[in-house]
Short mmCIF file of all heavy atoms in Angstrom, two decimals:
data_model
loop_
_atom_site.label_atom_id
_atom_site.label_comp_id
_atom_site.label_asym_id
_atom_site.label_seq_id
_atom_site.Cartn_x
_atom_site.Cartn_y
_atom_site.Cartn_z
N VAL A 2 -22.69 -18.39 -37.90
CA VAL A 2 -23.98 -18.23 -37.35
C VAL A 2 -24.48 -16.89 -37.67
O VAL A 2 -23.82 -15.84 -37.63
CB VAL A 2 -23.85 -18.33 -35.72
CG1 VAL A 2 -25.28 -18.04 -35.10
CG2 VAL A 2 -23.34 -19.78 -35.34
N GLY A 3 -25.79 -16.86 -38.12
CA GLY A 3 -26.43 -15.58 -38.54
C GLY A 3 -27.83 -15.65 -38.45
O GLY A 3 -28.53 -16.68 -38.54
N PRO A 4 -28.48 -14.50 -38.11
CA PRO A 4 -29.93 -14.43 -38.03
C PRO A 4 -30.57 -14.64 -39.38
O PRO A 4 -30.02 -14.34 -40.49
CB PRO A 4 -30.17 -13.08 -37.44
CG PRO A 4 -29.00 -12.28 -37.86
CD PRO A 4 -27.84 -13.20 -37.91
N ARG A 5 -31.76 -15.27 -39.38
CA ARG A 5 -32.53 -15.36 -40.61
C ARG A 5 -33.04 -14.02 -41.08
O ARG A 5 -32.97 -13.85 -42.28
CB ARG A 5 -33.70 -16.34 -40.33
CG ARG A 5 -33.32 -17.68 -40.22
CD ARG A 5 -34.50 -18.64 -40.06
NE ARG A 5 -34.06 -20.08 -39.94
CZ ARG A 5 -34.46 -20.90 -39.11
NH1 ARG A 5 -35.39 -20.49 -38.18
NH2 ARG A 5 -33.92 -22.09 -39.04
N ASP A 6 -33.47 -13.24 -40.19
CA ASP A 6 -33.91 -11.82 -40.50
C ASP A 6 -32.72 -10.97 -40.80
O ASP A 6 -31.68 -11.15 -40.25
CB ASP A 6 -34.70 -11.26 -39.42
CG ASP A 6 -36.04 -12.01 -39.13
OD1 ASP A 6 -36.54 -12.62 -40.09
OD2 ASP A 6 -36.55 -12.05 -38.00
N HIS A 7 -33.03 -9.92 -41.54
CA HIS A 7 -31.88 -9.03 -41.85
C HIS A 7 -31.59 -8.15 -40.65
O HIS A 7 -32.39 -7.41 -40.17
CB HIS A 7 -32.23 -8.07 -43.07
CG HIS A 7 -31.14 -7.09 -43.28
ND1 HIS A 7 -29.91 -7.48 -43.80
CD2 HIS A 7 -31.11 -5.77 -43.18
CE1 HIS A 7 -29.18 -6.45 -43.90
NE2 HIS A 7 -29.80 -5.27 -43.56
N VAL A 8 -30.43 -8.40 -40.01
CA VAL A 8 -29.95 -7.68 -38.92
C VAL A 8 -28.48 -7.37 -39.13
O VAL A 8 -27.78 -8.25 -39.60
CB VAL A 8 -30.11 -8.60 -37.54
CG1 VAL A 8 -29.47 -7.89 -36.38
CG2 VAL A 8 -31.52 -8.94 -37.28
N VAL A 9 -28.06 -6.17 -38.75
CA VAL A 9 -26.68 -5.83 -38.90
C VAL A 9 -25.84 -5.68 -37.70
O VAL A 9 -24.62 -5.46 -37.80
CB VAL A 9 -26.51 -4.47 -39.83
CG1 VAL A 9 -27.18 -4.64 -41.27
CG2 VAL A 9 -27.13 -3.27 -39.09
N ALA A 10 -26.49 -5.79 -36.50
CA ALA A 10 -25.76 -5.71 -35.24
C ALA A 10 -26.48 -6.54 -34.19
O ALA A 10 -27.70 -6.68 -34.21
CB ALA A 10 -25.63 -4.22 -34.86
N VAL A 11 -25.66 -6.97 -33.27
CA VAL A 11 -26.23 -7.70 -32.04
C VAL A 11 -27.31 -6.84 -31.40
O VAL A 11 -28.29 -7.29 -30.90
CB VAL A 11 -25.07 -8.11 -31.14
CG1 VAL A 11 -25.65 -8.71 -29.82
CG2 VAL A 11 -24.13 -9.15 -31.78
N ALA A 12 -26.96 -5.46 -31.32
CA ALA A 12 -27.90 -4.66 -30.66
C ALA A 12 -29.29 -4.58 -31.25
O ALA A 12 -30.25 -4.12 -30.65
CB ALA A 12 -27.33 -3.19 -30.67
N GLU A 13 -29.33 -4.96 -32.53
CA GLU A 13 -30.68 -5.05 -33.18
C GLU A 13 -31.46 -6.34 -33.00
O GLU A 13 -32.67 -6.46 -33.45
CB GLU A 13 -30.55 -4.83 -34.67
CG GLU A 13 -30.08 -3.48 -35.09
CD GLU A 13 -29.94 -3.30 -36.59
OE1 GLU A 13 -30.22 -4.25 -37.34
OE2 GLU A 13 -29.57 -2.24 -37.02
N LEU A 14 -30.94 -7.33 -32.36
CA LEU A 14 -31.67 -8.58 -32.19
C LEU A 14 -32.87 -8.34 -31.21
O LEU A 14 -32.76 -7.68 -30.20
CB LEU A 14 -30.70 -9.60 -31.54
CG LEU A 14 -29.53 -10.14 -32.36
CD1 LEU A 14 -28.63 -10.96 -31.54
CD2 LEU A 14 -30.03 -10.80 -33.62
N ASP A 15 -33.97 -8.93 -31.57
CA ASP A 15 -35.23 -8.91 -30.66
C ASP A 15 -34.84 -9.88 -29.57
O ASP A 15 -33.89 -10.56 -29.49
CB ASP A 15 -36.49 -9.21 -31.43
CG ASP A 15 -36.57 -10.64 -31.96
OD1 ASP A 15 -35.85 -11.55 -31.38
OD2 ASP A 15 -37.27 -10.79 -32.99
N ASP A 16 -35.78 -9.85 -28.49
CA ASP A 16 -35.58 -10.63 -27.30
C ASP A 16 -35.45 -12.12 -27.62
O ASP A 16 -34.59 -12.78 -27.06
CB ASP A 16 -36.64 -10.37 -26.34
CG ASP A 16 -36.55 -8.96 -25.68
OD1 ASP A 16 -35.51 -8.29 -25.82
OD2 ASP A 16 -37.60 -8.54 -25.12
N MET A 17 -36.24 -12.61 -28.47
CA MET A 17 -36.21 -14.07 -28.76
C MET A 17 -35.04 -14.45 -29.49
O MET A 17 -34.33 -15.49 -29.09
CB MET A 17 -37.47 -14.50 -29.76
CG MET A 17 -37.44 -15.98 -29.91
SD MET A 17 -38.79 -16.52 -31.01
CE MET A 17 -40.20 -16.21 -29.82
N ALA A 18 -34.56 -13.70 -30.39
CA ALA A 18 -33.29 -14.03 -31.14
C ALA A 18 -32.11 -13.86 -30.19
O ALA A 18 -31.14 -14.68 -30.18
CB ALA A 18 -33.07 -13.06 -32.35
N ALA A 19 -32.07 -12.96 -29.32
CA ALA A 19 -31.00 -12.76 -28.33
C ALA A 19 -30.98 -13.97 -27.34
O ALA A 19 -29.84 -14.48 -27.05
CB ALA A 19 -31.17 -11.42 -27.61
N ALA A 20 -32.16 -14.43 -26.94
CA ALA A 20 -32.18 -15.53 -26.03
C ALA A 20 -31.68 -16.85 -26.71
O ALA A 20 -31.19 -17.70 -25.99
CB ALA A 20 -33.60 -15.73 -25.52
N GLU A 21 -31.92 -16.98 -28.00
CA GLU A 21 -31.52 -18.12 -28.76
C GLU A 21 -30.00 -18.15 -29.08
O GLU A 21 -29.41 -19.19 -29.25
CB GLU A 21 -32.31 -18.29 -30.12
CG GLU A 21 -33.80 -18.56 -29.84
CD GLU A 21 -34.53 -18.51 -31.18
OE1 GLU A 21 -34.02 -18.05 -32.15
OE2 GLU A 21 -35.71 -18.92 -31.15
N LEU A 22 -29.44 -16.99 -29.14
CA LEU A 22 -28.06 -16.79 -29.60
C LEU A 22 -27.03 -17.49 -28.73
O LEU A 22 -26.10 -18.20 -29.24
CB LEU A 22 -27.73 -15.34 -29.78
CG LEU A 22 -26.34 -15.00 -30.39
CD1 LEU A 22 -26.16 -15.65 -31.77
CD2 LEU A 22 -26.09 -13.56 -30.48
N GLY A 23 -27.13 -17.26 -27.42
CA GLY A 23 -26.10 -17.87 -26.49
C GLY A 23 -26.06 -19.37 -26.64
O GLY A 23 -25.03 -19.96 -26.89
N PRO A 24 -27.19 -20.12 -26.48
CA PRO A 24 -27.11 -21.55 -26.63
C PRO A 24 -26.65 -22.03 -28.00
O PRO A 24 -25.95 -23.00 -28.16
CB PRO A 24 -28.50 -21.90 -26.33
CG PRO A 24 -29.14 -20.90 -25.47
CD PRO A 24 -28.47 -19.57 -25.89
N LEU A 25 -27.03 -21.25 -29.06
CA LEU A 25 -26.72 -21.63 -30.44
C LEU A 25 -25.12 -21.52 -30.57
O LEU A 25 -24.51 -22.40 -31.17
CB LEU A 25 -27.40 -20.77 -31.43
CG LEU A 25 -27.08 -21.01 -32.92
CD1 LEU A 25 -27.28 -22.50 -33.28
CD2 LEU A 25 -27.82 -20.12 -33.77
N LEU A 26 -24.60 -20.41 -30.12
CA LEU A 26 -23.11 -20.23 -30.21
C LEU A 26 -22.40 -21.28 -29.37
O LEU A 26 -21.45 -21.89 -29.80
CB LEU A 26 -22.71 -18.89 -29.73
CG LEU A 26 -23.15 -17.69 -30.61
CD1 LEU A 26 -22.74 -16.33 -30.02
CD2 LEU A 26 -22.44 -17.81 -31.98
N ARG A 27 -22.94 -21.61 -28.17
CA ARG A 27 -22.31 -22.69 -27.40
C ARG A 27 -22.35 -23.98 -28.14
O ARG A 27 -21.34 -24.66 -28.21
CB ARG A 27 -23.07 -22.75 -26.08
CG ARG A 27 -22.55 -23.96 -25.15
CD ARG A 27 -23.52 -24.45 -24.18
NE ARG A 27 -24.74 -24.87 -24.80
CZ ARG A 27 -25.97 -24.69 -24.24
NH1 ARG A 27 -26.15 -24.13 -23.11
NH2 ARG A 27 -27.03 -25.11 -24.96
N ASP A 28 -23.51 -24.32 -28.72
CA ASP A 28 -23.70 -25.62 -29.42
C ASP A 28 -22.70 -25.66 -30.64
O ASP A 28 -22.07 -26.64 -30.94
CB ASP A 28 -25.07 -25.84 -29.75
CG ASP A 28 -25.90 -26.13 -28.57
OD1 ASP A 28 -25.40 -26.36 -27.44
OD2 ASP A 28 -27.24 -26.14 -28.74
N THR A 29 -22.61 -24.56 -31.39
CA THR A 29 -21.80 -24.47 -32.54
C THR A 29 -20.31 -24.64 -32.09
O THR A 29 -19.59 -25.36 -32.78
CB THR A 29 -21.99 -23.14 -33.28
OG1 THR A 29 -23.38 -23.03 -33.60
CG2 THR A 29 -21.20 -23.06 -34.53
N ALA A 30 -19.91 -24.00 -31.02
CA ALA A 30 -18.54 -24.14 -30.51
C ALA A 30 -18.30 -25.60 -30.13
O ALA A 30 -17.21 -26.11 -30.38
CB ALA A 30 -18.23 -23.14 -29.41
N ARG A 31 -19.21 -26.27 -29.55
CA ARG A 31 -19.02 -27.61 -29.15
C ARG A 31 -18.89 -28.50 -30.31
O ARG A 31 -18.05 -29.46 -30.33
CB ARG A 31 -20.32 -28.13 -28.33
CG ARG A 31 -20.30 -27.58 -26.86
CD ARG A 31 -21.57 -28.08 -26.20
NE ARG A 31 -21.59 -27.63 -24.79
CZ ARG A 31 -22.61 -27.72 -23.94
NH1 ARG A 31 -23.70 -28.17 -24.41
NH2 ARG A 31 -22.39 -27.22 -22.75
N VAL A 32 -19.68 -28.28 -31.38
CA VAL A 32 -19.47 -29.04 -32.65
C VAL A 32 -18.10 -28.77 -33.25
O VAL A 32 -17.36 -29.77 -33.59
CB VAL A 32 -20.58 -28.68 -33.65
CG1 VAL A 32 -20.21 -29.23 -35.01
CG2 VAL A 32 -21.93 -29.20 -33.19
N VAL A 33 -17.63 -27.59 -33.35
CA VAL A 33 -16.38 -27.20 -33.84
C VAL A 33 -15.22 -27.86 -33.02
O VAL A 33 -14.27 -28.44 -33.53
CB VAL A 33 -16.16 -25.69 -33.95
CG1 VAL A 33 -14.68 -25.29 -34.16
CG2 VAL A 33 -17.04 -25.11 -35.03
N GLU A 34 -15.38 -27.84 -31.65
CA GLU A 34 -14.37 -28.38 -30.80
C GLU A 34 -14.29 -29.86 -30.98
O GLU A 34 -13.20 -30.45 -31.00
CB GLU A 34 -14.65 -28.00 -29.35
CG GLU A 34 -14.61 -26.54 -29.08
CD GLU A 34 -13.34 -26.08 -28.33
OE1 GLU A 34 -12.72 -26.91 -27.66
OE2 GLU A 34 -12.99 -24.87 -28.39
N THR A 35 -15.43 -30.52 -31.10
CA THR A 35 -15.44 -31.96 -31.23
C THR A 35 -14.81 -32.40 -32.57
O THR A 35 -14.09 -33.41 -32.56
CB THR A 35 -16.94 -32.41 -31.13
OG1 THR A 35 -17.45 -32.14 -29.86
CG2 THR A 35 -16.96 -33.98 -31.34
N LEU A 36 -15.17 -31.70 -33.58
CA LEU A 36 -14.65 -32.14 -34.95
C LEU A 36 -13.23 -31.72 -35.22
O LEU A 36 -12.52 -32.44 -35.94
CB LEU A 36 -15.54 -31.50 -36.04
CG LEU A 36 -16.98 -31.97 -36.16
CD1 LEU A 36 -17.75 -31.17 -37.20
CD2 LEU A 36 -17.01 -33.41 -36.39
N CYS A 37 -12.77 -30.60 -34.66
CA CYS A 37 -11.50 -30.03 -35.04
C CYS A 37 -10.42 -30.18 -33.93
O CYS A 37 -9.28 -30.06 -34.22
CB CYS A 37 -11.61 -28.65 -35.45
SG CYS A 37 -12.73 -28.41 -36.88
#
């Protein structure tokens, strides 16, 4: 999982990207858990 914009640290994420990150990581983990 990575941001589309050039970002080198979680601390650099803007509010929108930070708000999207949690659900995206959860969904990605769900996919990985289901498949593997």
Side-chain angles (χ1 to χ4, degrees):
V2 173
R5 288 185 179 131
D6 295 333
H7 179 67
V8 175
V9 297
V11 171
E13 291 183 0
L14 294 172
D15 64 29
D16 290 344
M17 183 180 291
E21 292 173 350
L22 184 60
L25 179 58
L26 288 175
R27 178 202 56 215
D28 292 348
T29 304
R31 285 178 176 168
V32 167
V33 166
E34 297 255 340
T35 299
L36 293 177
C37 302

